[in-house]
Amino acid sequence: MIEDTSPQVLLSNQFASFEELAEKAVGWDFEFRQISKNYSVTTLDQILAGNLMYTHLTSGSFAIHDGATPHDMFTVCIPDRGCPEFHYADKVIDRPVMIGIDSDKEFHLAARPGYGMSTFSIPLSIIDEHCENYFGSTSDKLLQHRKWLISITTEMAKKFHSLAQSISA
């Protein structure tokens, strides 16, 4: 079960370079390759609320984002409202989606200026416990080997954005 504790800010900063951001990020293995000539400010906010880690990244530059998700955690990603299209998993993402990425799994995406993403990382032990208790199966079977990309309604996206705002408030 997710612990009921007050949110703790791990990091909240604007970064002068992608290299600085990659060094400071908690739990993530980030690598960025800038595509545009000029770097624009990138922000990263990370908050721990009980066992849930919330991360929010915004970027004003064309960039390739590579890396790996936090260890022993399943991560759900939701693009910000108004996020310009981006490329992920050989697809152009131009609508509300929910992306699920397993622990330590590598990701690769290409983003335009104005890109923004909220992520919610949950310990695999919690997910496995709930899957076993409620569905009698392991999370890797129920969640398609814990990696997926699904379209969601605008209403569902709004609910996730409200959750993100309540965590970061």
Side-chain angles (χ1 to χ4, degrees), residues 10-156:
L10 301 174
L11 180 67
S12 183
N13 206 350
Q14 292 185 343
F15 294 93
S17 71
F18 283 129
E19 292 79 16
E20 182 186 7
L21 181 149
E23 287 175 18
K24 301 284 185 184
V26 178
W28 288 79
D29 177 15
F30 281 130
E31 285 185 35
F32 298 94
R33 287 185 310 241
Q34 187 170 321
I35 299 171
S36 54
K37 290 181 182 180
N38 298 321
Y39 177 83
S40 184
V41 173
T42 298
T43 63
L44 180 66
D45 297 303
Q46 293 186 288
I47 297 169
L48 189 63
N51 290 324
L52 174 75
M53 181 166 54
Y54 168 71
T55 300
H56 184 251
L57 174 76
T58 61
S59 177
S61 301
F62 279 101
I64 302 294
H65 301 224
D66 290 316
T69 57
H71 180 67
D72 285 337
M73 299 182 103
F74 180 75
T75 300
V76 175
C77 312
I78 311 281
D80 288 355
R81 279 180 257 188
C83 180
E85 72 178 33
F86 61 95
H87 294 259
Y88 173 77
D90 297 325
K91 294 177 176 44
V92 175
I93 309 299
D94 60 358
R95 65 197 180 288
V97 295
M98 186 183 313
I99 301 167
I101 308 173
D102 201 0
S103 170
D104 299 312
K105 294 298 182 205
E106 292 186 4
F107 61 88
H108 173 83
L109 96 146
R112 297 173 181 267
Y115 167 84
M117 179 80 73
S118 290
T119 69
F120 304 88
S121 299
I122 307 156
L124 285 172
S125 60
I126 292 172
I127 292 172
D128 287 337
E129 177 184 328
H130 286 287
C131 286
E132 286 288 335
N133 290 341
Y134 296 107
F135 305 108
S137 188
T138 59
S139 64
D140 62 334
K141 289 181 183 173
L142 289 170
L143 298 174
Q144 300 173 1
H145 304 286
R146 296 190 294 238
K147 182 177 182 180
W148 36 264
L149 169 69
I150 57 174
S151 292
I152 59 175
T153 65
T154 302
E155 190 59 35
M156 187 175 192

